[in-house]
């Protein structure tokens, strides 16, 4: 029997009994914290369990959260960013913007600015960017787009006169090799030569392969090493070096050609002329030094070109207009409030922020109209939804469930089906007008114009959004105890007083929820107003869509969208305070 | 609210008057949807009842608009695109959404409100704003005008519906069932698929149906994110309504109404089943 004394009390280790006993003992002795089964303090152990639980919950949520951030939150953030972003002007016209800093805003700017503009526009027109910056600035001042397009065609003639004179002086100036030697970094020149050798070798090999039966495509796909400016050129001929580097970059990237084989743009010669007239060009050695100093001596006798005059007289007289320059200057920052200002009918001018001219103030009106129509739709929804919800919540469950189908069927039916139904019904030759004529309410000659105006939008959208009013109202009214009204009646209230003083105040939360829901949904509506609203019944969202797909003014579309988004979020915050996110019910 | 026998004539008048008003409102709600059904069988290319239709002559009705829908290439292409996009988008939102809903209904979730707000946001932000943002962003990353882009966008729109319906089902979920299952030796996966999933399945399916109908009906996003190759049924209807309005739209609309009636019935049956399973309503 002595073997059997190992009862449960003798088992050591982490059995539930022992844990409790240990905890008791620890608590009694008061020395040290309560321990868990594995000997750690209980508090720590619990914390760890809680942390594991939190991590597990987060791990389950993380995939979706990531998905929504990439597919939804990032696009919204991108839109917000686009509403202030304005890099195109400062990226395309960097020299002009620096040169314009000294401009006082009155009259045409100095020759210096025109020279900078010429250089910027030659690069831009080679990159085909000038039309983009033109249309960007055209949003602010009409006419700039065609001005830039026109200028882009003519601007490459600037500097032709300089190029001719340099080449006449020494034919070496025509040779791409001269320019490469003058501008290129020594390391780059070596690497380029090496690349060229290898390419030639590969081509020769392919040439040889052609005689065989199997011909292969040229498998030498390595691109030419990227052009690098030499230190000497940057110091000796700064203007020339800067524009030549851009030339080399364009030639390599856009045209897949080599600067060793292309004669530079005319504007490069013009820059060289300016550098040399300013007495620069020191620091070269050997043959290059001779070439440069010979040219430096000669430029004093060169015929120069007045670029300001050329711009104004040869290209377009608008280049003398301070308004054009003011616009370029005002939108030279990388970020701009310009789109938001346009969205509230203001504009950014060199003199500061001013309201748009009278005839162009359309957005304030559009916001007002959106508000007015959304409110009208909201009130029609209360007017039609309240009696129905009241009836539904006071009928026996069986009947009300049956009638509820009449509310839910439109809710579930495709939006386009409902919109097409209204389009068909409201037409001049449509069912409603036919009935009215048949009854004799209106003559056949003057059928009602019910569609393509505000009436059409309001009727169709009230129908579409009515279920969103009825459902929250119904769920609130369902909770109102009928005893209160009965008590009011038995205390002598008339049916109207009982309803107005007792029932109605209790249904107000439902009205609030329904109103905000309908209002939020209606101010962002696009499809229905687009189809039945014509020109007078459209919303702000239609204007956003127009700017994205037709006028391509994405920045303004983004600014209008951001304002609308802010409005919706405020309303949604209110909805959350009144109803709560978690109480959104789906029928 | 039945009428008591002692009601005064005024009360009687109001009682019936109120019902007539409500009847008219119900008529307003349902008539536009029902009226397109007979109109879609019109033998003429009109959008109104011809005298022949009103006289119930057999030859005034025809199936020609349905025939057009079934034989016209652009309608068939649109139908095919819708059928390709909606199920995949639904699958994505249901898979991610259910997982996240299970996570969100755990007792301790840090930043629950903020996470919930982010996950619900696709439902709150007006579609035109989502469409604008997605158009800008997706063209930056090369997804604009691609099938994948439209599917991802639609899946994002469907997520809130799945989250809402599944978390609602999980509110009544008895946690001791999963504990019991774990206690009996089942791993987390087995517990989820054998114990939790069958109980929340009605919520998952109705969330999936909402996500499906959202994608199937959606037109604003697809107009911007998609290109002509992703033209869906609603897109084709939208163009049809805006440019050359053809009665084939009414045939398509009738088919869609039939589908929505079927869906409505399914969701209602699922809701009842779910309540019965969780013992929230007797039978």
């Amino acid at each position: 029997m002595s073997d059997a004394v190992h009862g449960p009390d003798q088992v050591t280790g982490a059995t539930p009994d022992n844990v409790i006993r240990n905890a008791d003992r620890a608590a009694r002795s008061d020395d040290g914290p309560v321990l868990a089964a594995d000997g750690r303090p209980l508090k720590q152990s619990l914390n760890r369990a809680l942390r594991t639980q939190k991590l597990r919950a987060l791990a389950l949520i993380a995939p979706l959260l990531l998905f929504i951030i990439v597919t939804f939150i990032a696009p919204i953030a991108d839109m917000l960013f686009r509403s202030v972003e304005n890099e195109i002007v400062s990226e395309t016209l960097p020299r002009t913007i620096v040169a314009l800093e000294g401009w006082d805003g009155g009259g045409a700017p100095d020759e210096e600015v025109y020279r900078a503009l010429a250089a910027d526009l030659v690069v831009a027109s080679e990159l085909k960017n000038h039309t983009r910056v033109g249309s960007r600035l055209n949003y602010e001042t009409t006419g700039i787009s065609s001005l830039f397009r026109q200028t882009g065609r003519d601007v490459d003639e600037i500097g032709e006169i300089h190029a001719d004179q340099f080449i006449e002086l020494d034919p070496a100036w025509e040779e791409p090799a001269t320019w490469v030697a003058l501008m290129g970094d020594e390391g780059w020149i070596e690497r380029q030569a090496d690349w060229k050798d290898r390419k030639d070798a590969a081509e020769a090999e392919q040439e040889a392969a052609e005689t065989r039966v199997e011909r292969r495509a040229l498998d030498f796909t390595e691109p030419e090493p990227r052009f690098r400016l030499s230190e000497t050129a940057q110091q000796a001929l700064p203007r020339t070096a800067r524009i030549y580097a851009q030339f080399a970059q364009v030639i390599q990237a856009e045209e897949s050609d080599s600067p060793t084989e292309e004669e530079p743009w005319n504007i490069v010669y013009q820059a060289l002329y300016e550098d040399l007239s300013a007495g620069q060009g020191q620091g070269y050695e050997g043959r290059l030094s001779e070439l440069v100093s010979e040219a430096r001596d000669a430029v004093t006798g060169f015929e120069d070109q007045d670029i300001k005059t050329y711009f104004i007289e040869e290209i377009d007289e608008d280049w003398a207009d301070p308004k054009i320059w003011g616009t370029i200057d005002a939108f030279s920052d990388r970020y701009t409030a310009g789109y938001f200002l346009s969205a509230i009918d203001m504009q950014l001018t060199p003199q500061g922020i001013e309201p748009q001219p009278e005839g162009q103030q359309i957005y304030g009106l559009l916001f007002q109209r959106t508000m007015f129509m959304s409110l009208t739709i909201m009130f029609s929804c209360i007017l039609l939804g309240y009696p129905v919800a009241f009836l539904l919540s006071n009928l026996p469950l069986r009947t009300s469930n049956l009638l509820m189908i009449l509310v839910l069927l439109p809710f579930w039916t495709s939006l386009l089906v409902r919109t097409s139904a209204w389009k068909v019904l409201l037409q001049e030759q449509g069912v409603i007008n036919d009935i009215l004529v048949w009854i004799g309410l209106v003559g056949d000659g003057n059928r009602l114009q019910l569609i393509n105006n505000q009436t059409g939008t309001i009727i169709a959208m009230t129908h579409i959004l009515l279920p969103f009013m009825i459902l929250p109202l119904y769920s609130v009214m369902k909770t109102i105890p009928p005893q209160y009204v009965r008590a009011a009646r038995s205390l002598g209230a008339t049916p109207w007083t009982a309803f107005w003083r007792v029932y109605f105040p209790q249904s107000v939360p439902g009205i609030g929820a329904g109103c905000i829901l309908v209002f939020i949904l209606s101010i962002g509506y696009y499809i229905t107003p687009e189809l039945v609203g014509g020109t007078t019944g459209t919303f702000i969202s239609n204007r956003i869509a127009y700017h994205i797909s037709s006028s391509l003014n994405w920045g303004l579309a983004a600014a209008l969208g951001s304002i609308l988004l802010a409005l919706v979020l405020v309303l949604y915050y209110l909805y959350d305070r009144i109803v709560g996110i978690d109480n959104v019910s789906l029928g | 609210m039945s009428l008591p026998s002692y009601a005064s004539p005024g009360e009687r008048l109001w009682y019936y008057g109120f019902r007539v008003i409500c009847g008219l409102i119900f008529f307003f709600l349902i008539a536009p949807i029902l009226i397109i059904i007979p109109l879609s069988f019109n033998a003429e290319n009109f959008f109104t009842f011809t005298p022949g239709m009103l006289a119930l002559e057999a030859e005034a009705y025809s199936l020609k608009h349905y025939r057009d829908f079934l034989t016209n290439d652009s309608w068939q292409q649109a139908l095919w695109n819708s059928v390709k996009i909606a199920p995949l988008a639904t699958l994505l939102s249901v898979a991610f959404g259910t997982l996240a809903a299970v996570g969100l209904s755990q007792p301790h979730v840090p930043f629950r409100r903020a996470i919930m707000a982010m996950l619900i946001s696709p439902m709150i932000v007006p579609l035109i704003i989502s469409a604008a943002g997605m158009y800008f962003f997706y063209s930056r990353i090369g997804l604009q005008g691609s099938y994948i882009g439209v599917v991802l966008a639609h899946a994002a729109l469907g997520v809130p519906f799945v989250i809402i319906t599944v978390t609602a089902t999980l509110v009544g979920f008895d946690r001791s069932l999963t504990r019991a299952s774990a206690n009996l030796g089942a791993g987390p996966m087995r517990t989820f698929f054998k114990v939790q999933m069958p109980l929340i399945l009605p919520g998952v399916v109705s969330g999936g149906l909402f996500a499906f109908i959202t994608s199937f009906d959606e037109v604003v996003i697809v107009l911007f994110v998609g290109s002509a190759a992703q033209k869906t049924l609603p897109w084709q209807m939208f163009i049809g309504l805006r440019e050359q309005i053809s009665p084939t739209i009414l045939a398509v609309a009738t088919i869609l109404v039939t589908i929505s009636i079927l869906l409505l019935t399914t969701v209602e049956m699922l809701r009842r089943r779910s309540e019965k399973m969780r013992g929230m309503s007797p039978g």
Side-chain angles (χ1 to χ4, degrees):
Chain A
M1 285 293 279
S2 60
D3 288 345
V5 291
H6 288 293
D9 288 354
Q10 270 68 40
V11 179
T12 50
T15 68
D17 282 348
N18 287 351
V19 173
I20 294 169
R21 210 169 290 133
N22 286 343
D24 277 351
R25 211 172 292 147
R28 254 198 311 272
S29 62
D30 277 337
D31 51 2
V34 182
L35 298 183
D38 54 0
R40 291 162 185 273
L42 188 59
K43 203 173 172 186
Q44 196 184 335
S45 206
L46 281 173
N47 276 340
R48 203 176 54 157
L50 191 65
R51 208 163 46 236
T52 325
Q53 241 180 7
K54 280 186 180 173
L55 279 179
R56 194 190 304 142
L58 280 184
L60 287 169
I61 300 167
L64 181 67
L65 199 60
L66 222 66
F67 181 78
I68 288 290
I69 286 175
V70 172
T71 59
F72 190 80
I73 308 281
I76 298 290
D78 189 26
M79 186 194 73
L80 296 177
F81 174 67
R82 267 186 206 265
S83 65
V84 292
E85 185 241 39
N86 187 43
E87 287 178 345
I88 175 125
V89 179
S90 57
E91 267 171 18
T92 318
L93 306 173
R95 298 177 184 80
T96 316
I97 282 165
V98 174
L100 260 183
E101 273 167 20
W103 181 55
D104 57 2
D110 300 336
E111 169 78 10
E112 189 63 19
V113 176
Y114 287 94
R115 282 174 190 261
L117 181 69
D120 283 338
L121 278 180
V122 167
V123 177
S125 73
E126 291 291 335
L127 288 167
K128 316 254 181 312
N129 268 346
H130 64 296
T131 49
R132 283 179 56 215
V133 77
S135 27
R136 164 67 190 96
L137 292 171
N138 200 56
Y139 302 143
E140 313 301 336
T141 306
T142 28
I144 295 198
S145 179
S146 57
L147 179 65
F148 269 65
R149 212 173 308 123
Q150 157 88 24
T151 312
R153 278 198 293 272
D154 295 342
V155 79
D156 56 351
E157 283 168 28
I158 292 175
E160 199 173 2
I161 185 170
H162 301 104
D164 290 346
Q165 292 176 100
F166 274 109
I167 293 163
E168 204 176 309
L169 178 73
D170 190 332
W173 286 113
E174 200 174 11
E175 297 299 323
T178 315
W179 283 97
V180 168
L182 206 60
M183 292 289 149
D185 179 57
E186 265 176 46
W188 179 79
I189 293 174
E190 269 170 38
R191 267 180 282 131
Q192 200 273 342
D194 178 48
W195 172 83
K196 180 90 172 105
D197 286 345
R198 280 185 289 129
K199 189 181 176 196
D200 288 347
E203 274 170 357
E205 194 180 319
Q206 193 207 22
E207 197 84 351
E210 275 180 34
T211 57
R212 292 188 209 138
V213 185
E214 274 183 40
R215 279 175 62 182
R216 282 186 303 140
L218 185 66
D219 59 359
F220 187 81
T221 51
E222 185 188 331
E224 188 180 35
R226 280 179 69 100
F227 177 79
R228 284 194 52 190
L229 268 181
S230 73
E231 289 285 322
T232 328
Q234 281 179 47
Q235 273 158 21
L237 302 165
R239 278 167 177 269
T240 322
R242 186 170 171 202
I243 188 99
Y244 186 83
Q246 280 183 317
F247 157 77
Q249 191 199 344
V250 170
I251 292 289
Q252 284 192 321
E254 300 296 313
E255 297 170 21
S256 313
D257 216 324
S258 170
T260 55
E261 282 160 23
E262 288 285 318
E263 190 190 340
W265 301 325
N266 290 329
I267 197 83
V268 179
Y269 291 95
Q270 192 258 334
L272 180 67
Y273 169 80
E274 279 178 28
D275 274 336
L276 293 178
S277 321
Q280 304 229 326
Q282 322 289 349
Y284 281 107
E285 287 166 9
R287 198 179 66 81
L288 289 175
S289 167
E290 276 170 37
L291 189 70
V292 171
S293 53
E294 177 199 16
R296 189 168 51 241
D297 296 339
V299 287
T300 44
F302 274 15
E303 187 194 343
D304 193 11
Q305 185 181 20
D306 187 8
I307 293 185
K308 180 173 177 178
T309 320
Y310 179 79
F311 261 99
I312 294 168
E313 280 168 16
E314 298 290 321
I315 299 181
D316 201 316
E317 58 186 1
D318 278 352
W319 280 117
D321 187 354
K323 199 165 168 236
I324 303 277
W325 289 104
T327 308
I328 296 177
D329 194 30
F331 287 90
S332 58
D333 291 332
R334 295 179 73 80
Y335 299 97
T336 177
Y339 293 122
F340 277 103
L341 291 173
S342 306
I344 54 168
D345 287 336
M346 305 292 253
Q347 60 181 343
L348 199 61
T349 61
Q351 287 79 42
I353 296 165
E354 287 175 6
Q356 293 267 10
E358 281 295 321
Q360 291 171 27
Q361 299 192 354
I362 54 168
Y363 295 106
L365 211 66
L366 202 56
F367 270 110
Q368 268 173 29
R369 190 206 285 166
T370 306
M371 287 292 167
F372 165 73
M373 286 175 65
S374 299
L375 284 174
T376 314
I377 291 161
M378 191 182 89
F379 282 118
S380 353
C381 280
I382 302 176
L383 216 63
L384 298 182
Y386 199 90
V388 168
F390 182 78
L391 183 74
L392 284 175
S393 59
N394 284 307
L395 283 176
L397 200 63
R398 190 170 291 274
T399 330
S400 76
N401 270 349
L402 215 62
L403 285 175
M404 200 55 157
I405 292 176
L406 300 183
V407 179
L408 289 179
L409 184 62
F411 181 74
W412 273 93
T413 308
S414 165
L415 169 65
L416 277 157
V417 170
R418 286 179 280 169
T419 310
S420 23
W422 282 112
K423 188 128 184 165
V424 169
L425 290 175
L426 294 174
Q427 282 182 77
E428 217 159 295
Q429 301 299 326
V431 177
I432 290 182
N433 263 313
D434 277 359
I435 293 175
L436 290 177
V437 169
W438 182 64
I439 300 175
L441 271 178
V442 293
D444 202 8
N446 47 1
R447 283 164 175 260
L448 296 179
Q449 175 74 35
L450 293 171
I451 206 166
N452 295 335
N453 54 23
Q454 296 198 358
T455 323
T457 308
I458 291 172
I459 295 177
M461 284 189 54
T462 303
H463 176 251
I464 287 167
L465 297 176
L466 192 50
F468 291 96
M469 179 63 87
I470 295 178
L471 294 174
L473 267 176
Y474 171 74
S475 63
V476 168
M477 286 180 177
K478 202 73 198 149
T479 63
I480 299 176
Q483 292 87 332
Y484 293 159
V485 175
R486 275 190 228 138
R489 291 296 309 276
S490 75
L491 290 168
T494 62
W496 171 250
T497 317
F499 168 76
W500 184 245
R501 302 281 299 277
V502 177
Y503 191 88
F504 183 77
Q506 295 184 80
S507 66
V508 165
I511 298 181
C515 280
I516 295 181
L517 197 58
V518 167
F519 194 77
I520 290 178
L521 287 169
S522 72
I523 56 172
Y525 241 65
Y526 167 64
I527 294 296
T528 308
E530 182 77 19
L531 290 175
V532 300
T535 46
T536 56
T538 49
F539 281 13
I540 199 77
S541 42
N542 302 82
R543 197 72 194 172
I544 297 176
Y546 163 79
H547 279 308
I548 296 175
S549 48
S550 303
S551 84
L552 302 181
N553 190 349
W554 289 8
L556 184 54
L560 288 171
S562 306
I563 295 176
L564 186 59
L565 181 65
L567 204 65
V568 168
L569 288 183
V570 168
L571 286 171
Y572 183 69
Y573 173 75
L574 291 177
Y575 182 81
D576 187 32
R577 292 296 296 271
I578 298 172
V579 194
I581 305 182
D582 296 349
N583 295 341
V584 189
S585 89
L586 296 170
Chain B
M1 71 174 212
S2 56
L3 198 62
S5 51
Y6 50 81
S8 64
E11 279 172 343
R12 248 168 236 277
L13 186 68
W14 170 243
Y15 178 82
Y16 291 110
F18 184 69
R19 274 162 201 241
V20 169
I21 292 172
C22 286
L24 287 175
I25 299 170
F26 280 122
F27 181 77
F28 170 74
L29 268 170
I30 207 77
I33 296 169
L34 296 185
I35 207 153
I36 55 174
I37 297 177
L39 278 178
S40 71
F41 294 102
N42 199 336
E44 307 287 332
N45 282 340
F46 293 141
F47 283 104
T48 186
F49 291 100
T50 54
M53 291 180 90
L54 292 174
L56 295 178
E57 290 166 21
E59 58 268 29
Y61 293 86
S62 92
L63 287 172
K64 71 180 239 193
H65 303 310
Y66 290 87
R67 205 172 305 124
D68 183 44
F69 170 63
L70 292 173
T71 51
N72 186 323
D73 277 346
S74 53
W75 280 107
Q76 284 305 301
Q77 175 70 35
L79 176 66
W80 179 234
N81 274 331
S82 279
V83 168
K84 270 200 311 191
I85 290 168
L88 195 61
T90 309
L91 195 72
L92 278 177
S93 25
V94 169
F96 284 127
T98 308
L99 210 62
V102 171
L104 278 170
S105 60
Q106 307 271 330
H108 303 286
V109 184
F111 317 115
R112 187 169 189 279
R113 275 188 78 84
I115 291 174
M116 196 72 179
M118 264 164 105
L119 297 185
I120 303 283
S121 61
M123 197 172 78
I124 293 138
V125 175
L127 278 175
I128 187 73
I129 295 176
S130 315
M134 284 172 171
Y135 178 71
F136 297 147
F137 186 71
Y138 286 12
S139 41
R140 248 186 237 271
I141 59 175
L143 279 177
Q144 202 271 326
S146 72
Y147 169 63
I148 306 281
V150 177
V151 168
L152 290 180
H154 277 185
L157 287 189
V159 159
F161 296 100
V162 179
I163 292 279
I164 288 174
T165 50
V166 179
T167 39
T169 327
L170 282 166
V171 166
F173 183 75
D174 186 357
R175 287 214 159 264
S176 51
L177 292 176
T178 51
R179 280 195 217 114
S181 149
N183 210 356
L184 292 167
M189 291 296 274
R190 201 177 153 84
T191 307
F192 177 73
F193 282 108
K194 289 279 177 191
V195 178
Q196 202 162 13
M197 193 66 183
L199 282 168
I200 61 169
L201 195 62
V204 175
V205 173
S206 60
L209 283 177
F210 272 108
F212 182 83
I213 201 101
T214 307
S215 165
F216 201 75
D217 262 0
E218 206 289 319
V219 56
V220 188
I221 302 271
V222 84
L223 272 176
F224 286 96
V225 176
S227 63
Q230 283 85 41
K231 190 155 76 183
T232 58
L233 216 47
W235 181 339
Q236 180 72 22
M237 287 181 82
F238 178 72
I239 294 175
L241 283 171
R242 198 163 60 169
E243 280 142 28
Q244 16 66 284
I245 174 157
S246 105
T248 312
I249 289 172
L250 295 183
V252 182
T254 307
I255 296 172
L256 290 180
V257 169
T258 318
I259 295 177
S260 32
I261 292 176
L262 290 178
L263 281 177
L264 174 62
T265 322
T266 320
V267 169
E268 186 58 22
M269 273 162 52
L270 281 169
R271 196 179 58 82
R272 298 217 170 138
R273 192 180 131 85
S274 151
E275 283 182 0
K276 213 188 290 179
M277 275 175 90
R278 294 181 317 183
M280 279 166 69
S281 71

